[in-house]
Amino acid sequence: MIELGKYAGPVLAAWGVSLALLAGMVVQTLLADARARRALEQVERNRG
Amino acid sequence: MTRLSVRDLAVARGGRRVAEGIGFDLDAGQALILRGPNGIGKTTLLRTVAGLQPPVQGTVTADPDAIAYAGHADGLKSALTVAENLAFWSQVFGGPGPGAALAALDLGRLSDRPAAMLSAGQKRRLGLARLLVTGRPVWVLDEPTVSLDTASVALFAAVIRAHLGGGGSALMATHIDLALPEARVLDLGPHRAGDGGPTGPGRTRAPAGFDEAFA
Amino acid sequence: MTRLSVRDLAVARGGRRVAEGIGFDLDAGQALILRGPNGIGKTTLLRTVAGLQPPVQGTVTADPDAIAYAGHADGLKSALTVAENLAFWSQVFGGPGPGAALAALDLGRLSDRPAAMLSAGQKRRLGLARLLVTGRPVWVLDEPTVSLDTASVALFAAVIRAHLGGGGSALMATHIDLALPEARVLDLGPHRAGDGGPTGPGRTRAPAGFDEAFA
Amino acid sequence: MSIWEYANPVKFMRTSSAILPWVAAGAALCLGAGLVWGFLTPQDYKQGSTVKIMFLHVPAAMMAINIWVMMLAASLIWLIRRHHVSALAAKAAAPVGAVMTVIALLTGAIWGQPMWGTWWEWDPRLTAFLILFLFYLGYIALWSAVDNPDSAADLTGVLCLVGSVFAVLSRYAVNFWNQGLHQGASLSVKAGERVDPTYKYPLYLCMLGFFLLFVTLLLIRTRTEIRRRRTAALLAREVRG
Amino acid sequence: MIALLMRDLRLATRAGGGFGLGLAFFLIVCTLVPFGVGPEGGTLARIAPGILWVGALLACLLSLDRIFALDWEDGSLDLLATAPLPLEGAVLVKAAAHWITTGLPLVLAAPVFGVLLHLPAAAQPWLLVSLGVGTPALSMLGAFGAAITVGLRRGGLLMSLLVLPLYVPTLIFGAEAVRRGAAGADGATPLVFLSGITLAVLATMPFAAAAALRVNLR
Amino acid sequence: MIALLMRDLRLATRAGGGFGLGLAFFLIVCTLVPFGVGPEGGTLARIAPGILWVGALLACLLSLDRIFALDWEDGSLDLLATAPLPLEGAVLVKAAAHWITTGLPLVLAAPVFGVLLHLPAAAQPWLLVSLGVGTPALSMLGAFGAAITVGLRRGGLLMSLLVLPLYVPTLIFGAEAVRRGAAGADGATPLVFLSGITLAVLATMPFAAAAALRVNLR
Ligand code: HEM
Ligand SMILES: Nc1ncnc2c1ncn2[C@@H]1O[C@H](COP(=O)(O)OP(=O)(O)OP(=O)(O)O)[C@@H](O)[C@H]1O
Ligand SMILES: Nc1ncnc2c1ncn2[C@@H]1O[C@H](COP(=O)(O)OP(=O)(O)OP(=O)(O)O)[C@@H](O)[C@H]1O
Ligand SMILES: [Mg+2]
Ligand SMILES: [Mg+2]
């Protein structure tokens, strides 16, 4: 494991929070996109 | 002389075109009544003619300073009296004073009462009196007789007739009979917007907005 | 059986009595239409009957849990869809679900649209549909047909007729003809409140409030 | 072919779906490599391991500002040329920018604790950043509050324009305010010039990674918005029958 | 009752419903105060308990007019008054919906703003608990004020005038608890008073508010 | 234009028009803050310039929704838009009416509240002048926010969120001038900046606000 010294707490917290936010944003984007795609397909199918 | 001329007009509400292929002319001394089922787009058309929203397609030719619009709401300040309300609009439009308008709509007795203390029909009469103080020739009215009793409807018809007689014009949307036999009637029913529907083929359609560009 | 019974009623608006000496009975299966010029006090009377304001004089005998009131405003939430609006009121009143009401007022196609995106007449239809989901027998309606086109007025008349047929009753104020020949009509014209005026002499008058006691 | 052609939704959907995989792959590559490299850098003699926070903090702060600039450009294009995709792109970018702002604020706060002994200091730079965050919030809230999509685009466009002017104005006002009383805290650490090459290259890679990530998200989110508009349009048409 | 609560929550979270705006206002107050007062951490830390409570209170206040005014304008209130639901119950439910959409988020977010204003760490739990105990009283008192002013067009400012004096005891005990916490002392006594106020308000105010509503509907 | 100004002033001073309520709100903020912060004169004097400016700003903010929302609801705005009056002019006039009924009373009353908060006497003239120069900008920026949110039901809180960031520069320079005055220094520099902002805002914002109104009327 890489040495973080006495500042391990802040560093890990900062990285944890940031990566979580980035990942959350990516996941939200993908989910919303999938939902929008499904809704559109459904409507188009209904329209025939 | 043509006061208001509408050609091949299409109007949209909420990014969706609701009525299309509308055309008519209105000359001095003429009145035109719009009819059609709920939701066909009468309100939308009147707002477009009054210049409050842009047309999707087609043209509205009119001097914007000739049009007085009266919509569903009357634009009354409930804290001001009847006379003060009229005086304000007369100053803004630079039209005649409120005296004649009060008399024409039988509001003389109420002139010192705050607008908050009027009944639904009295408010409506005051809203119509406002048209007289604008001094403008083309009236664009959305369901002007809502809440009016029979006597007031007759009063209103007389006001319209006097306005037409004085060289004015009027464009109105209404569901009830106005006892104005001289007015032409335009039924919007056949103008409902559809996918190249009843307006006939070959018409080029500008999209009402992004939604239509896509749909 | 008498659902609603009004005796020697006087009603006041803004501390001034506007109509007096009103009396009528309404039984199951009956409808009564109030008529009268603007400002006579129809709205005031209906609010009194619905229990929203106290009478100045006289009595209103009715089960308050039997009355469904529909005023000038429709009580719609523009952010909710048509179906959600109805479902809410049906839950509050513990009445039937929205399905039948939507069908009766031809709102089925609009059921998933937010109320903000309805035209004036469509909103009104939704407001009337609310009456059906209350499941209450006595309807008190203030100008129910405002903004409705002819087809919708007929729809409304059919709804009323079905309601009466099912043992309901209706009290309505309106200026236009409803095509309900079976309904009785009460003209409020002669009941205008005056200082011992047309209601006849010898009647003891409780003042409508402080103002009148002084005036 | 003019650049405005891309504002045509159909064309946009086609083009974006073609380039999306490449951009996404690039983003994953740069970001992954940059972050790992950054995490493995040695400790700084003065800041210790906290220097590793820089690889998230600085790119996020830069992107937060750049995304606002991009939204301003997109809003102008919409207001002047009325290209719908442009307005939707501005709408799609705003939440990403807001998240970037939050990352910069949070990492900065966590960094500040060991460096300055406080989570938050009303330093001009930090303060201006907080104001930027408020602008993001207002912009997003306005988009979601207006029903008519075209009106929403117009109003948010005007807001973005006015907001940009005031964001810059606030930046200078804030500078003035904090110098007025006492010397602006011990912020000399922020001299970007003296970043050691050991940190410089992974930092550049992270910046590139953040940028590509933003482009990827922007494309996907714009596509989402376009699909939503199309769905709404079709539904409305269906209802009308 | 459940239907009403669900509807109010749904309306609040729908577009334009204003959910989260109270929070944003709170954030804004906490940002503006340093601009006005100056950036030194020491001064800020001293006034932080007071500013945080005043900010939460104002944020609560500004969203009050949503409680009844919207229902009044579109006629729903007339209809609710004639519904088979006691008006007192409706008032309580609407106050609860207001608290869930405004008070609760404020409570949860307060520690973050505490950091912004350099609130000492020791005071943070006191801030959380005192806001958690006090904000329901703010919502209920606000519902009373909203009920009194519902008929007035744009009665917002008048309502502020009526409601703010009612808020004073809550504010004093709430801020005092946090201040004692910040000083490392024990804030339990003011907290007990605060809970007492909240309970009394929740028990009595629905009746007062319903009475005011009935008068305004007349 | 004169007719519009006179009408707005008359409406504001009529019953229910809200004249003086901004002032009352200002008073309340200045009263609540000592409750929250604690009564020591030293602390109060230090934060007085900031609190006074923040209070004035919030009082201004809360009356903003009156600028256009009432006219929108009753249809007057439709009619004004079709009247022979440029919409930019109408916006300017309405902002002026708002300033006369809200900003001006605040400016005139501020010294009294300054005494309440132990503001040093040396700072009083600075307070008066800085508020006098700064509040017109607050009204005009507020009119812009009100124009953007006019179509939204109860857009009040959203408007706060949009408007407050725009208020930051005005607040900073205004409070700074008073603070320098309180410290016995010369507040002229921030005052110059403040006037610059006010002039620029008055010159440009009517156009932005009128554009937003037109969009909302559509
Ligand atoms: C909440 C606290 C903080 C915020 C909001 C913040 C915000 C920012 C911003 C806006 C930038 C400018 C990015 C750019 O323009 O390129 C930046 C850069 C930077 N920050 Fe922070 N910061 C915070 C705390 C810190 C702390 C505590 C440190 C280190 C002790 C730090 C170190 C840096 C460095 C080294 C840069 C790059 C400097 C440059 O390239 O100009 N920041 N930060
Ligand atoms: N808020 C009020 N304060 C005082 N008087 C009022 C108020 N509202 C209405 N009035 C007056 O009370 C009388 C009765 O009003 P009401 O609304 O009941 O009439 P209405 O019969 O419903 O008339 P309409 O057919 O025009 O709706 C009217 O003369 C009106 O001027
Ligand atoms: N805000 C809105 N957003 C989207 N669509 C709307 C909106 N308002 C109305 N509509 C729809 O636009 C269409 C036209 O509405 P409009 O108000 O012009 O009808 P109208 O002819 O005036 O009807 P009415 O006789 O009921 O007043 C209707 O189908 C309506 O559902
Ligand atoms: Mg209509
Ligand atoms: Mg009536």
Side-chain angles (χ1 to χ4, degrees), chain B residues 9-202:
Chain B
L9 188 69
V11 294
R13 190 74 206 263
R16 229 163 35 75
R17 67 163 66 194
V18 291
E20 60 190 5
I22 305 162
F24 57 83
D25 285 310
L26 200 61
D27 291 341
Q30 292 189 338
L32 178 67
I33 296 183
L34 296 178
R35 294 194 170 272
N38 288 142
I40 190 72
K42 297 181 295 299
T43 300
T44 314
L45 174 60
L46 293 179
R47 288 181 70 88
T48 310
V49 168
L52 286 167
Q53 62 175 65
V56 176
Q57 183 183 349
T59 52
V60 176
T61 321
D63 174 11
D65 275 353
I67 294 182
Y69 169 76
H72 286 294
D74 290 318
L76 305 178
K77 289 295 163 192
S78 37
L80 299 183
T81 66
V82 169
E84 284 170 338
N85 266 298
L86 280 184
F88 166 66
W89 288 114
S90 126
Q91 279 174 287
V92 165
F93 280 87
L102 285 174
L105 282 147
D106 192 21
L107 289 164
R109 284 185 317 129
L110 298 170
S111 72
D112 287 331
R113 191 184 282 209
M117 293 168 67
L118 300 180
S119 78
Q122 291 161 346
K123 280 195 185 118
R124 194 72 202 179
R125 288 217 298 272
L126 176 51
L128 294 173
R130 188 189 61 83
L131 291 169
L132 288 170
V133 302
T134 61
R136 291 191 159 181
V138 183
W139 291 357
V140 174
L141 313 178
D142 198 358
E143 303 197 30
T145 55
V146 158
S147 304
L148 291 187
D149 60 21
T150 357
S152 305
V153 171
L155 214 59
F156 169 70
V159 167
I160 289 279
R161 214 164 272 133
H163 178 62
L164 298 181
S169 335
L171 174 65
M172 294 172 270
T174 176
H175 292 297
I176 71 165
D177 196 30
L178 282 185
L180 272 178
E182 65 270 44
R184 283 178 296 149
V185 172
L186 173 65
D187 190 355
L188 286 186
H191 294 279
R192 188 189 292 277
D195 306 81
T199 39

Side-chain angles (χ1 to χ4, degrees), chain B residues 13-19 39 192-196 205 208-215, chain D residues 7-10 13 84-85 88 148-150 225-226 229-230 232-234 236-237 240-241:
Chain B
R13 190 74 206 263
R16 229 163 35 75
R17 67 163 66 194
V18 291
R192 188 189 292 277
D195 306 81
R205 301 174 76 229
F210 182 70
D211 293 343
E212 284 209 356
F214 237 101
Chain D
N8 172 343
V10 183
M13 291 301 271
H84 289 86
V85 176
L88 289 185
N148 183 328
D150 280 359
E225 295 294 341
I226 289 177
R229 283 289 292 272
R230 178 162 160 77
L234 291 181
R237 168 155 304 192
R240 195 176 54 207

Side-chain angles (χ1 to χ4, degrees), chain D residues 65-224:
Chain D
I65 294 168
N66 293 346
I67 290 175
W68 185 271
V69 174
M70 173 253 150
M71 281 161 53
L72 175 62
S75 301
L76 281 174
I77 293 176
W78 157 251
L79 289 177
I80 297 168
R81 313 263 328 212
R82 303 209 77 76
H83 284 304
H84 289 86
V85 176
S86 188
L88 289 185
K91 179 186 187 184
V96 183
V99 171
M100 291 294 177
T101 320
V102 172
I103 292 179
L105 283 171
L106 285 179
T107 51
I110 297 173
W111 200 354
Q113 175 60 17
M115 286 299 103
W116 309 334
T118 165
W119 295 99
W120 179 260
E121 198 52 58
W122 290 93
D123 161 75
R125 190 171 214 164
L126 315 196
T127 310
F129 219 63
L130 191 61
I131 296 173
L132 179 65
F133 182 56
L134 291 183
F135 276 118
Y136 270 120
L137 284 186
Y139 183 88
I140 294 171
L142 186 59
W143 258 113
S144 64
V146 183
D147 288 331
N148 183 328
D150 280 359
S151 301
D154 281 329
L155 294 174
T156 51
V158 174
L159 180 71
C160 185
L161 224 75
V162 173
S164 303
V165 175
F166 273 81
V168 174
L169 207 59
S170 303
R171 183 74 181 82
Y172 287 103
V174 159
N175 247 332
F176 177 88
W177 159 71
N178 211 355
Q179 249 87 86
L181 281 167
H182 71 129
Q183 287 314 301
S186 51
L187 300 178
S188 45
V189 232
K190 280 202 178 179
E193 293 75 42
R194 33 163 232 93
V195 171
D196 188 277
T198 331
Y199 305 118
K200 201 152 86 186
Y201 296 112
L203 180 61
Y204 286 167
L205 200 56
C206 282
M207 286 179 179
L208 185 62
F210 266 72
F211 177 72
L212 288 177
L213 176 67
F214 164 64
V215 176
T216 312
L217 291 177
L218 178 66
L219 288 178
I220 299 179
R221 297 180 76 95
T222 311
R223 290 165 62 84
T224 308

Side-chain angles (χ1 to χ4, degrees), chain A residues 1-19 21-22 25-26 28-30 32-37 39-40 43-44 46-47, chain D residues 35 39-40 43 47-50 52-53 55-56 95-96 99-100 102-103 106-107 110 114-115 210 213 217 220-221 223-224 227-228 230-231 234-235 237-238:
Chain A
M1 187 58 203
I2 177 144
E3 188 53 55
L4 289 173
K6 60 176 172 163
Y7 295 129
V11 172
L12 290 178
W15 278 67
V17 168
S18 309
L19 293 183
L21 277 171
L22 287 178
M25 186 170 55
V26 170
Q28 189 270 336
T29 302
L30 292 178
D33 188 53
R35 210 176 310 124
R37 187 193 311 247
L40 181 57
V43 170
E44 284 183 334
N46 285 354
R47 217 165 59 125
Chain D
L35 287 181
F39 198 74
L40 295 179
Q43 299 192 11
Q47 303 191 30
S49 59
T50 57
K52 295 188 206 305
I53 297 179
F55 302 107
L56 291 162
V96 183
V99 171
M100 291 294 177
V102 172
I103 292 179
L106 285 179
T107 51
I110 297 173
M115 286 299 103
F210 266 72
L213 176 67
L217 291 177
I220 299 179
R221 297 180 76 95
R223 290 165 62 84
T224 308
R227 288 206 176 97
R228 284 196 185 137
R230 178 162 160 77
T231 311
L234 291 181
L235 271 181
R237 168 155 304 192
E238 207 165 80

